[in-house]
Structure formats: C-alpha cells, structure tokens
Amino acid sequence: MKIGIGNDHSALEMKAEIIDYLKERGCEVVDYGTNSTESCDYPIYGEKVARAVAAGEVDQGILICGTGLGISLAANKVKGIRAAVCSEPYTAKMARLHNDCNILAFGARVIGPELAKMIVETWLDTEFEGGRHQRRVDLITKIEEENA
Ligand code: RB5
C-alpha cells in the first residue's frame, strides 16, 4: 500500500516514528512535508496530501498537526476526501469500516507515538464494509456534488 503523509511544524518527530512504522509494515511512503520545525500553515500540507489521494497518486493519506483538526479540515475541502481525526483505535476502525475514510488525521500534541501506531495499525487493517454504509457515503458525496 502507498501512503501519503503530511504534517505541520508541530508533528515532525511524530511523523518520523509513523514513517518508520509504515515502512516496517511494508508500506511505500510519500512524504509531502513539512520537514522543518519552522512555524508553517497546516492547510498547505493538508491540501497536498488530499490532492494526492484524490488523484490516486497514493492509496491513503495520514495527516498530523497539533490536534489533527486544522489539517483534516483543509483536506476535507478537496473533492472525494473523507478525512477523520482519530485519537483512539475504535474511531479509526469505524472510520474505515463504516465511513470509508481515505485520510487518517491525529494530533501530535494530543496522543503519543505508541497510541498513534496502534491507530495506524487499526486503520490499515480495516476494510470498508460497504452495503448500507455505501448508501450513506454516497449521500455524503451527493452533498459535495450539489455544492460544487
Ligand atoms: C499550530 O500551532 C496548531 O494550530 C496546528 O498544529 C493545529 O493544531 C491546528 O489545527
């Protein structure tokens, strides 16, 4: 699986740990930055990863900022993106199983690296269930299309 990853200045150490974990799992990783600790604007990196996922350049995305909120809000403005902030594995599981989310977001100032790895593990190991959930995801897409 090919994963695109992006972050702001608050999440460099967390990103390094997550990239190592993804590579250990055999994932290919594309790093969209930032790779500086200098204060930056998280929407830039949220958009980069979101566009890569929407274009099919990568299979899934991971976004990390201080809380996971700002960077996921930016990503969710890109057509076809369903980014979810997950601070524990249950939400990560349901975000894939029921919501077919294609970007996982979390906060480097909210959770530690070991919990983050458990969340990523759950995310990667869970497939979309489809069925009645497909209908609901389609309704989300319909709202997006009506507002395009
Ligand atoms: C940066 O200070 C912080 O605002 C950002 O990382 C993120 O938490 C925004 O949602």
Side-chain angles (χ1 to χ4, degrees):
M1 185 180 281
K2 196 169 174 179
I3 305 289
I5 193 162
N7 58 286
D8 74 0
H9 53 279
S10 69
L12 278 182
E13 281 178 32
M14 176 69 93
K15 178 173 71 174
E17 296 234 23
I18 297 301
I19 288 177
D20 285 349
Y21 173 73
L22 289 168
K23 287 185 174 167
E24 273 168 31
R25 279 191 56 124
C27 292
E28 191 182 338
V29 182
V30 183
D31 182 358
Y32 291 89
T34 182
N35 282 301
S36 165
T37 52
E38 199 176 315
S39 182
C40 68
D41 297 329
Y42 55 77
I44 294 168
Y45 302 96
E47 182 182 5
K48 279 178 195 277
V49 171
R51 291 204 184 280
V53 172
E57 289 165 22
V58 294
D59 300 307
Q60 299 265 334
I62 296 179
L63 290 172
I64 321 167
C65 64
T67 58
L69 291 172
I71 204 159
S72 63
L73 289 169
N76 274 318
K77 298 297 178 191
V78 174
K79 193 171 188 295
I81 294 305
R82 289 178 299 280
V85 181
C86 303
S87 299
E88 30 67 36
Y90 178 78
T91 305
K93 181 172 178 143
M94 300 315 281
R96 290 288 307 127
L97 199 63
H98 285 187
N99 310 116
D100 198 18
C101 286
N102 46 17
I103 294 185
L104 166 65
F106 50 85
R109 292 173 178 162
V110 179
I111 60 172
E114 294 311 313
L115 179 54
K117 283 183 235 174
M118 288 176 73
I119 291 167
V120 172
E121 178 182 34
T122 303
W123 179 274
L124 295 176
D125 287 347
T126 309
E127 291 293 326
F128 179 48
E129 198 175 88
R132 68 187 187 283
H133 301 294
Q134 183 62 63
R135 185 177 71 243
R136 293 161 185 169
V137 171
D138 289 345
L139 285 169
I140 295 172
T141 305
K142 188 164 169 272
I143 298 168
E144 188 176 66
E145 283 165 359
E146 283 165 359
N147 285 283

